[in-house]
Amino acid sequence: MLVSELPFEKINADFSDSGLCFKTGIFNIAVTSNIPAVTRHIRHFYSHYDCNNETDFIDLHVEVKAVGGYRRFYRPQVSFSFDGYEPFIPLPINQAPAMFEWGLNWCIANTAHHYLIIHSAIIEKDGYGLILPGTPGSGKSTLCAALVNKGWRLLSDEMALLSLADGLIYPAPRPVSLKNKSIQIIKDFAPDAVFGEVMIDTLKGDIAHMLAPQSALAEQTTAVKPAFLVFPHYKDNAEKKLIGLPKSRALMTLAEHAFNFNILGKQGFDSMSNMIENVECYDFTYADLVTALEGIDSLIK
Amino acid sequence: MLDDHLVVRFLRHYGQGTLTSIDFSSYPWEILIRQARRTNLLSRCAFFLCELELLDKVPKQPRIHFINSIKLSDANARSAKVEVKQIYKALSKAKVDFVLLKGAAYVWAGNNASKGRLFTDTDILVAKENLVIAETALANSGWLTSSLDVYTQKFYREWMHEIPPMTHLKRQTTIDVHHTIIPPTSRLKPKPIKFWQQADAAEDMPGLYVLSPIDMIIHSATHLFHEGEFEQGLRDISDLDLLIREAIASQNGWDKLLHRAVELDLVKPVYYALNFTKKILDAPIPEDVINRAIFQAKMSKFDVKLMDVLYGRALATNHVTNKMKGQGVARWFLYIRSHWLKMPVHLLFPHLFRKSWLNLTGQKDH
């Protein structure tokens, strides 16, 4: 059953009592919230996700809650908690949906140590997995949002889950988070893309989420073999350049993007070097999305 | 009132050696994992399952969470050892001896309490006369005192048993440097020199020590029952349970523990530790040992009852899957009491007043 097929009372209630359970990739998530903007966000962005059965094992129980106390009258805040643990300080309440997404990212990055978790977008076309590691400002999310609107499949815009067991990357599709100017750029580039409300002035600037395309959900249990590792560099007016990257350099750089490298120790290092051994590595400079798309598509031809 | 949370029952099973008899296919793993996460004991539960070779019997989805949490505590232990070596390098150059305390000590000494133990800060004890040299040596190696306001700096240095935490510039790791066990202003007056006299020297590293097994119990007890912080309460009780079972196997052992507690002027915290590890985790502590501790601590029947109620609640797990009523009040009361134990009145009131003022006005305190 899909989230959207839940009984009216369930889907339209706030999720303050029983919470709402849904599946993304291999993760079963339960959310509890008493904030209307969060339940709206979930109805909007997760309605075509599978619900869990009562008997399913839930991996992560998270709660997004308005903070009580006198402060709620003049400066209302929202807190995120993971089984009672709050990894972040509370934020202004208008950022609640973003906090839910950030919090969920945190939970996955801090518990799913059967994967090497790389801070990057991960997409797929024709069976080729493409990893786009993200340094701030590199345009990782923008490029990812553009590509998944033009035939690539979204696995995640935020983290690549490289399995330590089989070397494949596993999907956990969720809405794509876009910042500041990127929001309008993608709206112009892909007029059919579905967006949520823009949250003004968050920790990371203005933020809006874009609905994960249907293809992402249809194949959310299909892992991909990584084929390309591309470090994007957005540069105004630059000419499009795709330059091969020595594997040793790629390894050094990618290590800085892994969330749990120190926890996995040697196992993590082996997985990463194994993967890099088997993928083509590039530095990619681009100035606009149309030529960027050509450049990326040329890889798989 | 007794904590009957699943995580508590799980730990009890381990202690009693009956973990093998639980029904692995229908066990409520999800609830156990959630409660264990809440109490910072997931790695420890996982360690126990792994140690008894029971992990394969756990269904796949919960098993993954257990295995992943073992990776976490293994990494924690690895980096703790690196950290200790770095501290040793800095302090041995300055010829300052030090004792490792708590988590880092359990890991370094390979105690049972290191099983699946997670911790962030490294706690060390140095002699008071070496405090300035130690602080300078650590600062020269990259550990810096975080920028605290003047009041907090002064508060730490004048009244506390430790200097403000020092954080390493590059690794972002934190050391707490103590010069005694509890604040010198406390009503109890343990002499740090007595801990030094029985500390065990580490192999091949002259100048590095851990407390003797008995003193480890006493220190852990004092830390939990004197500080008034219970966020990690059940984890600390589990530490105590493991330390006690490991160090004490005979009547002679109990005599030594009580004797030592008297000698150090720390009978009360030791009584609480014995009483609550027995009550909560069923630690094999003879009733007469507990009665002797009550007698030596000069506690009235009323004291004993009252503290049973308060600590029983404060130490309990509190999770949405099983709420503990009255915990907030109990913890608040014990927090105030811990300040009462630590400071004479003329220090206590201005300090608490300042804290609540900062709280009310929404300013940050350290």
Side-chain angles (χ1 to χ4, degrees):
Chain A
M1 188 161 74
L2 300 180
V3 170
S4 58
E5 293 164 350
L6 285 172
F8 183 83
E9 317 80 66
K10 177 90 183 146
I11 181 76
N12 280 291
D14 65 5
F15 311 140
S16 54
D17 297 327
S18 53
L20 183 93
C21 303
F22 67 88
K23 227 183 247 281
T24 165
I26 59 137
F27 300 103
N28 294 338
I29 317 269
V31 201
T32 319
S33 182
N34 59 0
I35 300 176
V38 173
T39 53
R40 253 195 338 265
H41 174 86
I42 289 167
R43 277 199 291 272
H44 189 63
F45 288 108
Y46 291 89
S47 64
H48 48 320
Y49 283 62
D50 276 322
C51 286
N52 287 106
N53 299 320
E54 299 262 308
T55 52
D56 282 353
F57 177 88
I58 302 294
D59 293 286
L60 306 166
H61 287 263
V62 303
E63 187 174 36
V64 194
K65 224 175 46 180
V67 178
Y70 61 91
R71 202 186 260 262
R72 81 193 131 172
F73 298 113
Y74 73 102
R75 204 188 292 156
Q77 288 187 315
V78 53
S79 70
F80 175 90
S81 85
F82 172 40
D83 270 324
Y85 175 70
E86 295 183 11
F88 313 112
I89 52 167
L91 294 177
I93 202 142
N94 72 311
Q95 304 180 26
M99 197 180 204
F100 163 69
E101 296 291 345
W102 292 331
L104 203 48
N105 289 338
W106 185 94
C107 291
I108 294 174
N110 283 277
T111 61
H113 303 306
H114 46 320
Y115 299 108
L116 176 68
I117 306 174
I118 303 163
H119 183 208
S120 67
I122 165 78
I123 56 181
E124 176 264 350
K125 194 176 186 178
D126 299 341
Y128 296 103
L130 168 67
I131 305 170
L132 296 163
T135 32
S138 64
K140 161 201 77 149
S141 294
T142 323
L143 197 52
C144 167
L147 288 162
V148 301
N149 277 300
K150 303 287 174 188
W152 288 75
R153 163 166 72 109
L154 173 74
L155 282 85
S156 166
D157 79 319
E158 189 59 25
M159 48 183 129
L161 304 167
L162 176 68
S163 164
L164 301 174
D166 59 20
L168 300 179
I169 297 183
Y170 282 74
R174 309 237 308 278
V176 176
S177 156
L178 289 165
K179 292 185 284 254
N180 304 320
K181 275 196 227 152
S182 304
I183 302 169
Q184 196 54 47
I185 291 175
I186 294 298
K187 281 182 177 172
D188 294 341
F189 181 79
D192 294 338
V194 180
F195 278 81
E197 299 160 38
V198 180
M199 281 162 273
I200 307 290
D201 210 13
T202 74
L203 284 179
K204 304 187 182 182
D206 296 351
I207 286 207
H209 292 101
M210 185 192 88
L211 192 71
Q214 190 54 45
S215 61
L217 289 172
E219 290 186 80
Q220 63 166 315
T221 51
T222 316
V224 307
K225 196 167 178 289
F228 302 101
L229 172 62
V230 176
F231 292 91
H233 305 280
Y234 170 79
K235 231 187 233 160
D236 262 344
N237 300 320
E239 226 164 89
K240 182 185 75 184
K241 254 191 313 193
L242 187 68
I243 304 172
L245 193 61
K247 303 224 157 173
S248 53
R249 269 264 305 285
L251 183 65
M252 298 275 281
T253 317
L254 198 60
E256 288 166 22
H257 288 85
F259 285 118
N260 56 350
F261 214 51
N262 60 333
I263 289 163
L264 300 182
K266 185 171 181 306
Q267 210 184 5
F269 182 82
D270 290 347
S271 288
M272 187 178 280
S273 37
N274 215 342
M275 179 192 83
I276 291 204
E277 205 49 53
N278 294 302
V279 299
E280 295 176 23
C281 309
Y282 298 99
D283 259 329
F284 181 50
T285 311
Y286 70 99
D288 70 281
L289 289 175
V290 179
T291 51
L293 221 68
E294 288 166 13
I296 297 286
D297 273 332
S298 73
L299 286 172
I300 57 169
K301 278 187 187 129
Chain B
M1 182 211 82
L2 238 188
D3 194 351
D4 68 338
H5 282 66
L6 196 61
V7 60
V8 173
R9 279 183 270 151
F10 184 90
L11 296 175
R12 257 186 243 149
H13 270 306
Y14 174 79
Q16 291 157 348
T18 51
L19 209 50
T20 41
S21 68
I22 63 173
D23 181 354
F24 282 82
S25 57
S26 69
Y27 196 79
W29 295 109
E30 187 180 318
I31 296 177
L32 174 70
I33 288 172
R34 297 183 67 189
Q35 292 182 359
R37 260 198 228 290
R38 177 78 187 101
T39 47
N40 218 355
L41 282 163
L42 183 57
S43 301
R44 180 159 289 167
C45 293
F47 192 104
F48 290 165
L49 288 166
C50 182
E51 181 185 26
L52 299 170
E53 296 179 2
L54 295 171
L55 265 179
D56 287 341
K57 296 172 107 181
V58 178
K60 186 171 173 224
Q61 284 171 300
R63 188 169 69 226
I64 290 173
H65 287 275
F66 287 125
I67 294 174
N68 288 347
S69 73
I70 293 177
K71 291 179 187 169
L72 209 60
S73 55
D74 282 354
N76 199 162
R78 270 201 311 272
S79 55
K81 283 179 187 163
V82 171
E83 198 63 16
V84 170
K85 283 182 192 150
Q86 294 294 333
I87 298 170
Y88 183 74
K89 219 159 116 192
L91 291 183
S92 61
K93 230 190 288 169
K95 303 210 162 38
V96 173
D97 292 0
F98 66 105
V99 184
L100 287 174
L101 300 172
K102 298 193 275 188
Y106 307 153
V107 166
W108 195 260
N111 285 111
N112 284 344
S114 70
K115 293 177 179 180
R117 178 68 147 74
L118 294 176
F119 55 96
T120 46
D121 302 354
T122 311
D123 293 82
I124 65 170
L125 175 70
V126 303
K128 193 165 185 194
E129 61 270 23
N130 284 336
L131 200 55
V132 176
I133 310 173
E135 193 176 353
T136 313
L138 290 169
N140 288 339
S141 300
W143 281 278
L144 298 181
T145 306
S146 50
S147 54
L148 300 174
D149 60 52
V150 178
Y151 175 87
T152 313
Q153 281 275 359
K154 187 166 176 287
F155 181 79
Y156 262 106
R157 289 175 195 279
E158 268 183 43
W159 310 119
M160 292 295 284
H161 54 306
E162 56 185 330
I163 59 176
M166 302 177 85
T167 302
H168 197 272
L169 271 179
K170 281 201 186 130
R171 297 194 301 278
Q172 290 299 310
T173 48
T174 300
I175 315 180
D176 286 329
V177 183
H178 305 243
H179 55 83
T180 177
I181 298 300
I182 53 177
T185 49
S186 305
R187 285 168 175 71
L188 299 176
K189 305 278 183 207
K191 291 209 173 60
I193 182 74
K194 291 186 178 167
F195 283 97
W196 280 99
Q197 283 162 351
Q198 296 198 0
D200 292 336
E203 266 174 55
D204 305 329
M205 293 171 90
L208 172 61
Y209 297 86
V210 293
L211 295 177
S212 72
I214 293 275
D215 284 2
M216 259 187 203
I217 299 172
I218 297 176
H219 179 249
S220 174
T222 308
H223 187 75
L224 175 59
F225 291 101
H226 202 270
E227 290 297 308
E229 284 184 23
F230 302 98
E231 236 352 81
Q232 312 275 351
L234 184 63
R235 199 274 318 268
D236 292 348
I237 288 288
S238 167
D239 283 351
L240 277 164
D241 176 56
L242 294 170
L243 290 172
I244 290 171
R245 286 174 200 257
E246 187 176 19
I248 302 175
S250 60
Q251 186 54 45
N252 188 20
W254 297 118
D255 294 344
K256 259 198 204 154
L257 175 66
L258 291 183
H259 179 79
R260 184 70 175 157
V262 174
E263 190 181 3
L264 291 167
D265 193 17
L266 292 170
V267 193
K268 252 192 182 178
V270 168
Y271 155 70
Y272 293 133
L274 294 173
N275 183 40
F276 290 104
T277 36
K278 185 178 173 73
K279 278 212 167 81
I280 297 170
L281 292 183
D282 213 9
I285 301 163
E287 209 53 61
D288 78 288
V289 171
I290 290 181
N291 290 333
R292 270 162 66 200
I294 294 176
F295 176 75
Q296 282 166 340
K298 303 191 180 69
M299 290 178 69
S300 69
K301 270 191 183 148
F302 175 77
D303 285 346
V304 168
K305 279 258 160 59
L306 176 69
M307 297 322 269
D308 269 2
V309 171
L310 288 175
Y311 278 124
R313 282 186 166 70
L315 288 169
T317 317
N318 200 357
H319 188 264
V320 284
T321 53
N322 193 351
K323 290 262 189 198
M324 171 56 73
K325 278 190 191 135
Q327 181 171 65
V329 178
R331 284 192 176 180
W332 177 79
F333 189 86
L334 289 168
Y335 174 78
I336 300 291
R337 174 181 170 274
S338 80
H339 274 77
W340 176 254
L341 293 176
K342 281 189 281 195
M343 288 184 225
V345 179
H346 70 278
L347 291 179
L348 177 63
F349 284 118
H351 179 63
L352 285 182
F353 177 74
R354 182 177 181 278
K355 278 200 148 187
S356 21
W357 176 250
L358 289 182
N359 220 343
L360 262 174
T361 52
Q363 296 175 57
K364 207 175 159 241
D365 194 16
H366 295 275

